[in-house]
Amino acid sequence: MNMIEKIRLPSPHPRIHLFLVSYMSSGYLVKGYMAIPQWGKQLPGLLYLRGGIKSVGMVRIQRVIQWAAEGMVVIAPFYRGNKGGQGQEDFCGNDREDAFSAFDLMKSLPQVDPDSLHILGFSRGGVMALLTAIERPETNSVICWNGVTDMVLTYEERIKLRRMMKRVIGGTPNKYPKRYAWRTPLLSVSKIRAHVLLIHGEQDEHVSIEHAYRLEKACKASGVTVSSWYYPTFSHHFPMKEQRKILSSAAAWMKERVHHSMGRQ
């Protein structure tokens, strides 16, 4: 276990304990939230990977509690350099290690069923989720929710993000193609052993549906089990009522993947 500190926080749910945790990742102290339902001896574990960068897209307690209320132990890292953490976030570069270490921490918790390990990434977190699933083959399922899968496509589509991406990644895709390829899990899909679920709004103005289409095509070409839930009228942030229903359905989908995964190599 690589956890350094666990501080109890007020929880909006009476039967879910909420903590601010500090853990080590490649020599850096990283912080995040952990939510543990107070029922069941061992529950599925969920690594929740946020989108955005720095304060934009920061983990929301409400979202962590929503997943925990579905009967899952949740760990949601802020990534290095955020909210008192050490180091510097670098947009799916070395900060991917923060996701890997958080997965290992989740797996080590006595409240987590080691045969039921899941990952969900939203937006930029989609890259982090897929990279983690590649590095941790014991993952049962990975959900990419309105997730980025191709970093070059993001650079091309998000004109307002180009300055940040050039600064953090160190240049443009044309000048440094290897740096962008390293941040594009789409190119290594064949290494994924988990079941993949794509949830995407077809009107997404921040991460186009093309990201999901490309990942789905790559999964099918590589023999990776993939399902897709596409929503023709939804954008990057789903309507609250529908989002809650889809979240519950996604949690049920993840739990089912455990049974379907038994006996897989």
Side-chain angles (χ1 to χ4, degrees):
M1 181 181 289
N2 55 355
M3 185 158 54
I4 302 299
E5 187 177 45
K6 183 174 71 171
I7 299 173
R8 181 83 177 269
L9 299 174
S11 173
H13 193 296
R15 297 186 64 206
I16 296 174
H17 288 181
L18 179 67
F19 302 91
L20 174 66
V21 296
S22 301
Y23 67 96
M24 296 305 297
S25 171
S26 300
Y28 294 111
L29 187 73
V30 178
K31 295 179 179 290
Y33 290 132
M34 178 170 68
I36 303 179
Q38 299 303 296
W39 60 86
K41 290 184 178 180
Q42 283 192 319
L43 297 170
L46 174 65
L47 174 63
Y48 179 90
L49 298 168
R50 51 161 289 210
I53 186 169
K54 297 188 181 297
S55 61
V56 177
M58 182 50 69
V59 184
R60 295 169 55 204
I61 287 176
Q62 178 190 14
R63 189 71 67 238
V64 173
I65 294 297
Q66 279 183 319
W67 285 105
E70 296 293 337
M72 309 184 85
V73 176
V74 183
I75 288 187
F78 303 150
Y79 308 141
R80 60 188 58 182
N82 291 312
K83 289 198 160 191
Q86 298 173 341
Q88 188 69 34
E89 192 177 1
D90 63 347
F91 209 59
C92 309
N94 290 319
D95 57 5
R96 67 186 65 190
E97 295 290 340
D98 305 345
F100 302 166
S101 296
F103 181 94
D104 296 340
L105 172 58
M106 174 188 74
K107 182 180 177 181
S108 72
L109 295 172
Q111 299 92 341
V112 170
D113 179 354
D115 293 321
S116 187
L117 305 172
H118 311 276
I119 307 170
L120 180 137
F122 177 76
S123 195
R124 164 269 178 99
V127 170
M128 303 288 273
L130 294 167
L131 291 172
T132 306
I134 289 168
E135 290 294 323
R136 298 295 185 267
E138 64 268 40
T139 302
N140 294 88
S141 74
V142 56
I143 296 179
C144 198
W145 192 322
N146 279 14
V148 173
T149 66
D150 188 326
M151 200 61 78
V152 174
L153 181 59
T154 295
Y155 183 88
E156 293 171 348
E157 292 179 337
R158 297 295 306 281
I159 295 174
K160 291 183 179 180
L161 288 183
R162 287 181 184 176
R163 174 186 255 180
M164 177 278 291
M165 293 180 74
K166 285 190 287 187
R167 174 177 54 82
V168 174
I169 298 176
T172 67
N174 286 335
K175 192 170 183 179
Y176 297 104
K178 290 184 179 179
R179 295 180 184 179
Y180 283 78
W182 183 52
R183 291 170 165 84
T184 298
L186 193 66
L187 305 176
S188 303
V189 164
S190 61
K191 297 179 182 178
I192 294 177
R193 295 293 173 264
H195 295 263
V196 177
L197 173 61
L198 307 176
I199 301 175
H200 217 108
E202 294 182 16
Q203 303 302 316
D204 193 332
E205 70 282 18
H206 296 312
V207 182
S208 75
I209 188 69
E210 180 64 24
H211 284 268
Y213 291 159
R214 291 184 182 185
L215 179 58
E216 182 177 21
K217 181 179 180 181
C219 285
K220 290 179 177 178
S222 301
V224 175
T225 304
V226 60
S227 302
S228 57
W229 300 352
Y230 298 145
Y231 298 88
T233 63
F234 293 173
S235 59
H236 195 59
H237 296 285
F238 288 12
M240 189 176 297
K241 185 177 180 181
E242 285 78 5
Q243 185 270 345
R244 189 69 188 85
K245 292 179 181 177
I246 295 167
L247 187 153
S248 291
S249 296
W253 179 90
M254 283 190 279
K255 295 171 186 176
E256 290 173 1
R257 302 286 79 73
V258 177
H259 303 297
H260 295 169
S261 298
M262 294 302 179
R264 296 175 66 206
Q265 300 298 315

